[in-house]
Each structure stands twice: as C-alpha cells, then as structure tokens.
Amino acid sequence: MTVDADVPSEQAPTAPKAKSVRSLVVTWLRRLLLVAVVIGAGYYLISRWDEVWATLGEVPWYSAVLSLLAVVAGILSSTVGWQAVVDDLGKPVGRVVGSQIFLVSQLGKYVPGAVWAYVLQMELGRKAGLARSRMFISSLVQLGVSVVASLALGVLALPVLLDETPGAVWLYAVLPFGLAALHPKIMTWGVNLILRVLRKAPLDHTLRWSTIMKTLGFAVATYVLFGVHLWLLATGSGSARFSVLLLCIGAIAIGLTAGLFFFILPSGAGVRDVLVALALTPAVGPVAAAAFAVASRAMFTVADGATAGVAAVVARLRLPAEPETDAPLQP
C-alpha cells in the first residue's frame, strides 16, 4: 500500500512528534509503576515490622540469615527457569539482562492485581530490546509449569491442610490436566491458542522437551529452597525434624499456588500466610505458626527488593540491545 503518498507533505513531520509523545508517556507510566511497586513493598514491610522483629528475635541469628539466603537462592532459581523459556523463543538475552527483567518485574506483585508484574516484565523486556509477545509467552509457560510443580510438592502438606481446610482439595482438580499439558505439543498448542485470541503471531516451532524439563526442574528447586527457608525459621522453636521440612516444602508450595487465584491481593497477601500457618500449626503451635508465616512474607519482600536492586544496578552498566518486533518468534 502507498498510503504515505496521499498524505500532504506538511503533515509528514507530525508522525515523529506523535511517536515521541507516546514514547514519553510510556516511559513515565513505567516509572510511576515502578515507584508504586516499591512503595507497596516498603509499606508492607514497615507495617508488619513489629511482628516480624518479635518473631525473628526468637530465631537464632544464623538460622535467620540462612533462611533469608534460601529465599534469595529460590528467587534466583526461578529466574533461571524463566530464562530457559526466554532463550528457547529467540536469541539468548544473557544472564544480566534476563535477571534485571525478571527480578525487577517481580516487585509488581506488591501492587493489588498480579497483572502488574507481567505488565512491568513486558515493558522492561521491551526496553531491553525484546518483543512483548516473547515476554508474555515466557511468563505464561513458566507460570503453567510452576503451578504443576507446586501442586505436586503440595502433596507433602495436603493431609494436614485437608484436616483444617477440606476445600483445599479443589486445587488438585487441575493437577492431571497440568501434568498432561507439560507435553511440548500440548503446551505449544495452548500457547498458540492464547496468541490467536490475542491476535498475535503463533510460535513457529514446538517448545522443546529440554526447555520444559529445565523449567520444571528449577521450579521444583525453587519451592524446595522456599521450604528450607520456612523450615530454618521453624528450627527456632526446636522443630528441626525432617518431617517438618517436608511439611514446610509442601505448605509453601501450595500456598504460593493458592495465592495466584487471589490475584487482586498484593502478592496473594493473606492467602499464602493462612495456608502456611495452618500447615505449621501441628508442628510448632498456632501462635508460632502465624508468626513464622508473617516473618516469611517479610523476608520474601526483603529478598525481592534486594535481588531486584542488585540486578537493576548491574544491568544499568550495559548498553541497550537492538529492539525486536512482535513477529513470529524464532528458535
């Protein structure tokens, strides 16, 4: 088509100006979103500080430090799992850029409505030169794989949770479908179906077994590390048994998944805490269980902020990449 030839010459210069205004608006919206998520995370931590400090005061300092490091390790494990999908969909983005996009975007969880984490991820990816569709698909695949992993590990805590909340069994109605969906052809079909609804170009290749298994492996490692974090807190009350470790892994895995269904709350606030507290109650008592759940969430907030900050600072030293388009993704 030769539409440009029909446009009067005096109107031609307005196109760059319009593009410049749109770019400026997007840039400021991105900045405002980032400020909002930082304020949300900070407010949660400050508002719960007295409870957190009282709880951690009873935990040996070395257990608290190791517990926080376990959260950081789990977050980094999740980052690697996400990047495995990103790299399968195009040219590898590199650890530094990939970590910046994923870790900073996770702060979006602290704004009511979990969609902000994905919006921020797509915008950060776009700023780094990656197509928004690539970011969206990567998050979609990792989310699906992570839900399957969490439900599988959640079996470890299910007997205890069912005693307190029989309704939790409904989460497992999706597990058989999730396991089947791990097949590359089925997962690729599902992704393409969503892309078709969104009027985006489909994948031009089937997702690889190696990518899905790598993502699944890191998802399992992530939940195990998160469970170790909770267990290290519980050791402060003398509950260092291996059975308690398995309970912690299952509780935090199923708690994080349940929080996804209450996306209107910041980072599933309340839902995960209740499930974790219920699971830990038989082992440490109701008061300590509730306190550990609050302390755990606060430590997650600190770890999210710290990892995002480090990743952002390191990535600022790198030059921007060439932008991609939302054309069909390349292997």
Side-chain angles (χ1 to χ4, degrees):
M1 298 178 64
T2 57
V3 177
D4 292 342
D6 297 327
V7 178
S9 59
E10 63 270 16
Q11 294 182 2
T14 63
K17 182 178 180 180
K19 183 177 180 180
S20 176
V21 172
R22 184 170 63 251
S23 177
L24 184 62
V25 171
V26 170
T27 298
W28 276 103
L29 286 175
R30 184 190 300 123
R31 291 173 180 174
L32 290 174
L33 176 59
L34 187 56
V35 169
V37 298
V38 171
I39 291 175
Y43 174 78
Y44 179 86
L45 184 60
I46 293 172
S47 64
R48 298 297 183 91
W49 185 250
D50 290 340
E51 299 174 68
V52 172
W53 185 252
T55 303
L56 293 182
E58 300 178 359
V59 178
W61 68 268
Y62 52 85
S63 293
V65 171
L66 290 174
S67 179
L68 181 59
L69 291 177
V71 177
V72 171
I75 292 172
L76 296 179
S77 175
S78 181
T79 305
V80 177
W82 171 82
Q83 191 159 351
V85 185
V86 175
D87 290 347
D88 186 23
L89 299 177
K91 182 180 178 181
V93 299
R95 294 294 184 204
V96 174
V97 175
S99 297
Q100 181 208 22
I101 295 171
F102 183 82
L103 295 173
V104 174
S105 69
Q106 294 309 292
L107 295 178
K109 297 182 299 185
Y110 296 97
V111 175
V115 66
W116 296 114
Y118 302 109
V119 170
L120 187 57
Q121 190 173 103
M122 288 189 287
E123 289 305 317
L124 290 172
R126 185 61 178 169
K127 186 177 179 181
L130 304 175
R132 291 188 180 92
S133 58
R134 185 175 176 186
M135 295 295 94
F136 175 74
I137 295 169
S138 300
S139 298
L140 187 66
V141 171
Q142 192 209 26
L143 177 63
V145 172
S146 295
V147 167
V148 175
S150 67
L151 289 178
L153 290 173
V155 172
L156 298 172
L158 195 59
V160 175
L161 289 176
L162 288 181
D163 285 342
E164 302 290 340
T165 55
V169 73
W170 70 268
L171 285 170
Y172 282 83
V174 301
L175 183 56
F177 300 99
L179 291 172
L182 290 179
H183 192 286
K185 290 186 177 180
I186 297 177
M187 183 165 290
T188 302
W189 175 84
V191 169
N192 285 337
L193 178 62
I194 294 175
L195 290 175
R196 190 178 303 118
V197 171
L198 297 176
R199 297 183 179 180
K200 297 292 184 181
L203 296 175
D204 68 346
H205 71 286
T206 302
L207 292 168
R208 300 175 177 85
W209 267 115
S210 59
T211 298
I212 295 174
M213 290 298 102
K214 185 176 182 180
T215 305
L216 179 63
F218 278 105
V220 170
T222 295
Y223 290 123
V224 169
L225 287 166
F226 289 164
V228 169
H229 139 76
L230 193 59
W231 177 70
L232 287 169
L233 287 180
T235 58
S237 63
S239 302
R241 302 186 305 275
F242 182 70
S243 59
V244 177
L245 172 59
L246 296 180
L247 182 63
C248 287
I249 293 172
I252 206 158
I254 198 171
L256 287 168
T257 296
L260 293 174
F261 295 93
F262 294 85
F263 54 84
I264 195 172
L265 301 173
S267 191
V271 179
R272 184 184 82 188
D273 305 338
V274 169
L275 289 176
V276 167
L278 288 174
L280 284 180
T281 294
V284 301
V287 176
F292 289 143
V294 172
S296 171
R297 177 171 285 278
M299 294 178 82
F300 267 83
T301 304
V302 171
D304 280 332
T307 53
V310 171
V313 169
V314 173
R316 290 288 292 180
L317 303 177
R318 298 178 63 89
L319 295 174
E322 290 297 323
E324 290 182 342
T325 64
D326 284 328
L329 303 177
Q330 301 296 320

